[in-house]
C-alpha cells in the first residue's frame, strides 16, 4: 500500500517527483554571476552593438544628406509628379526655340518643389552678383535624341549664359527618369570656365555626386544641390579640381581597415553617449566618469547644405544673362 508521503512524491503521470535534496543540489550546482561580471557583459554587448552601428554607417552607400527643407518628401514628389503629368511636356527643341528666360532655375519638367526652386534661384543669383559667374539649371521632359552635353552647350549659347567675352557660364541639364526610360544629366561650362571645370571634373561631379543620389532616391533636388555644393565654391575660386580630386581619392583610399580603426578609436566616445543618453549613466557612474547633467547633444546645423547668403534676396536685382558662349565641352551621365 502506498502511503500518503509516497503519493505526494508522485507526479500526475505516475513518475516519481525529484527529491527535495536533489533539487537543492541542482540549484546549488548552477554558477551565479556576480554584479561585476554582469556589468562587464553588458559593457561588451553595448560595445559590439556600437561597433556594428559604426560599420553600417560608414559602409552605407550614402550621398549628400540634405536637410528636410531642401530634399522633397515622398508626398511632395507625388504631388510634383502629378502636376508634371498634367502639364504639357517641354522638349529640347521647344527650349532651344524660346527666348532666354529671366531666371537661372527653369524647371520645365516640373520635378522640383517650389521651395527648392526659389532657394536655388536665390543662391545662384547671389553667386552671379558676387562673382559674375552664372550657373543656370534647367530640366527638360524629352531630349528628343539630342546628346545631353551638346544640348546643354547649345542652350548656353542660345541664351548667352555668362558674361560676353568672359564666357563664364555653366549649364546643368536634368532629364528625369520616366518608367523604363533612363534619366540623364549633363554639365556644360562656358569657354571661360573650362579651365576651372574641365571635362574630367564635370564627369566626376556627375558620377560621384549626382548619380548616386539619383540611383538611390531619385531625388532631383538633392542631386542638384550636391552638384552645386561643389561647383559654386569652384566658381568663387575657393578650391580647384586638384583639391577636390585629392580629397575624394583620400576618402576612397581609407578602405576597410581604415574604417575599422576609426570605429575602434571612436567607439569609446559612442559608448559614453549611449550610456549617458539611453542607460542613464549606468556605467559612467560606476566607473566614476559621470558627466553630471550635461547629457545634451549639440544640435547639428542643417542650413549649410546650400550656399545662399543671408542677403540672398538681393539676387532679385540680377540683370539676366550677359551673352556668354560655349564650345561644347562638359560631361553627361545616365541612371
Amino acid at each position: 500500500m502506498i502511503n500518503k508521503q509516497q503519493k505526494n512524491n508522485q507526479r500526475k503521470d505516475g513518475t516519481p517527483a525529484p527529491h527535495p535534496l536533489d533539487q537543492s543540489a541542482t540549484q546549488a550546482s548552477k554558477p551565479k554571476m556576480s554584479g561585476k561580471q554582469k556589468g562587464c557583459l553588458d559593457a561588451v554587448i553595448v560595445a559590439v552593438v556600437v561597433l556594428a552601428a559604426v560599420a553600417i554607417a560608414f559602409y552605407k552607400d550614402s550621398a549628400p544628406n540634405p536637410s528636410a527643407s531642401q530634399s522633397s518628401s515622398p508626398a511632395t514628389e507625388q504631388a510634383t509628379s502629378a502636376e508634371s503629368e498634367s502639364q504639357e511636356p517641354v522638349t529640347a527643341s521647344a527650349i532651344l526655340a524660346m527666348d532666354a528666360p529671366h531666371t537661372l532655375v527653369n524647371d520645365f519638367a516640373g520635378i522640383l518643389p517650389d521651395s527648392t526652386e526659389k532657394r536655388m534661384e536665390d543662391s545662384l543669383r547671389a553667386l552671379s552678383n558676387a562673382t559674375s559667374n552664372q550657373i543656370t539649371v534647367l530640366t527638360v521632359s524629352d531630349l528628343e535624341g539630342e546628346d545631353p552635353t551638346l544640348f546643354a552647350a547649345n542652350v548656353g549659347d542660345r541664351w548667352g549664359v555668362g558674361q560676353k567675352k568672359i564666357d563664364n557660364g555653366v549649364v546643368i541639364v536634368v532629364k528625369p527618369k520616366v518608367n523604363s526610360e533612363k534619366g540623364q544629366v549633363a554639365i556644360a561650362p562656358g569657354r571661360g570656365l573650362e579651365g576651372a571645370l574641365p571635362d574630367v571634373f564635370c564627369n566626376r561631379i556627375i558620377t560621384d555626386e549626382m548619380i548616386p543620389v539619383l540611383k538611390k532616391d531619385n531625388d532631383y533636388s538633392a542631386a542638384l544641390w550636391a552638384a552645386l555644393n561643389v561647383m559654386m565654391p569652384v566658381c568663387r575660386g575657393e578650391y580647384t579640381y586638384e583639391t577636390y580630386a585629392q580629397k575624394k581619392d583620400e576618402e576612397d583610399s581609407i578602405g576597410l581597415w581604415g574604417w575599422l580603426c576609426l570605429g575602434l578609436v571612436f567607439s569609446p566616445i559612442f559608448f559614453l553617449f549611449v550610456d549617458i543618453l539611453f542607460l542613464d549613466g549606468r556605467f559612467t557612474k560606476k566607473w566614476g566618469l559621470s558627466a553630471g547633467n550635461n547629457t545634451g547633444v549639440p544640435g547639428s546645423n542643417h542650413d549649410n547644405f546650400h550656399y545662399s547668403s543671408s542677403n540672398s534676396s538681393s539676387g532679385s536685382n540680377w540683370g539676366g544673362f550677359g551673352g556668354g558662349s560655349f564650345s561644347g565641352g562638359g560631361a553627361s551621365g545616365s541612371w
Side-chain angles (χ1 to χ4, degrees):
M1 220 176 148
I2 301 175
N3 60 31
K4 188 175 181 180
Q5 182 65 30
Q6 290 176 329
K7 188 175 182 180
N8 289 338
N9 289 338
Q10 284 186 343
R11 294 175 175 163
K12 291 183 180 180
D13 57 1
T15 59
H19 195 277
L21 293 176
D22 295 335
Q23 289 181 337
S24 60
T26 302
Q27 292 175 357
S29 64
K30 291 182 180 179
K32 291 185 179 180
M33 186 178 292
S34 66
K36 187 175 182 180
Q37 289 175 328
K38 188 175 180 182
C40 292
L41 179 61
D42 291 343
V44 171
I45 293 173
V46 172
V48 171
V49 171
V50 169
L51 286 175
V54 171
I56 292 172
F58 278 126
Y59 272 90
K60 203 171 178 184
D61 213 1
S62 61
N65 187 17
S67 65
S69 61
Q70 290 167 342
S71 64
S72 53
S73 63
T76 305
E77 289 179 359
Q78 291 176 0
T80 304
S81 176
E83 183 180 354
S84 63
E85 289 177 359
S86 64
Q87 294 175 347
E88 289 294 329
V90 180
T91 61
S93 58
I95 292 174
L96 290 172
M98 67 176 58
D99 293 332
H102 296 287
T103 52
L104 288 163
V105 181
N106 297 278
D107 183 22
F108 297 119
I111 58 175
L112 300 177
D114 292 341
S115 58
T116 298
E117 192 172 352
K118 183 181 184 306
R119 272 190 298 275
M120 201 173 288
E121 179 74 24
D122 287 345
S123 295
L124 295 178
R125 288 192 177 200
L127 174 71
S128 177
N129 291 337
T131 67
S132 83
N133 296 321
Q134 294 180 343
I135 301 177
T136 186
V137 174
L138 69 95
T139 66
V140 56
S141 300
D142 188 358
L143 284 169
E144 301 176 306
E146 289 259 6
D147 178 81
T149 308
L150 290 178
F151 171 69
N154 289 335
V155 169
D157 259 338
R158 177 74 178 82
W159 290 358
V161 180
Q163 308 303 321
K164 192 173 183 179
K165 297 184 179 180
I166 303 178
D167 304 328
N168 54 344
V170 183
V171 178
I172 304 176
V173 172
V174 177
K175 184 263 172 194
K177 178 181 175 64
V178 180
N179 298 325
S180 60
E181 187 178 334
K182 286 186 177 181
Q184 294 175 288
V185 294
I187 299 174
R191 298 173 188 272
L193 284 178
E194 287 180 351
L197 291 168
D199 295 356
V200 64
F201 196 1
C202 295
N203 183 65
R204 289 201 68 169
I205 293 172
I206 291 172
T207 57
D208 293 351
E209 308 295 341
M210 300 185 74
I211 296 297
V213 180
L214 294 168
K215 280 185 176 180
K216 182 180 179 182
D217 299 322
N218 217 38
D219 191 335
Y220 301 105
S221 301
L224 285 168
W225 279 121
L228 292 174
N229 281 346
V230 175
M231 297 169 65
M232 292 175 71
V234 171
C235 289
R236 292 194 188 98
E238 295 175 4
Y239 66 85
T240 64
Y241 168 64
E242 287 73 19
T243 306
Y244 172 85
Q246 182 180 0
K247 180 181 177 182
K248 295 296 288 187
D249 291 342
E250 287 175 355
E251 291 175 357
D252 295 339
S253 66
I254 290 178
L256 173 63
W257 290 109
W259 292 123
L260 287 177
C261 289
L262 286 175
L264 290 174
V265 169
F266 288 102
S267 59
I269 299 174
F270 281 103
F271 172 76
L272 290 176
F273 272 102
V274 170
D275 182 53
I276 294 172
L277 294 177
F278 301 105
L279 302 179
D280 195 27
R282 175 178 178 181
F283 297 103
T284 52
K285 291 175 182 176
K286 183 184 294 184
W287 299 332
L289 300 175
S290 176
N293 295 327
N294 297 324
T295 59
V297 180
S300 59
N301 182 10
H302 296 290
D303 296 332
N304 60 352
F305 190 77
H306 62 89
Y307 288 92
S308 77
S309 58
S310 58
N311 61 346
S312 60
S313 59
S314 63
S316 59
N317 297 323
W318 177 67
F321 298 118
S325 62
F326 290 67
S327 64
S332 62
S334 62
W335 77 99

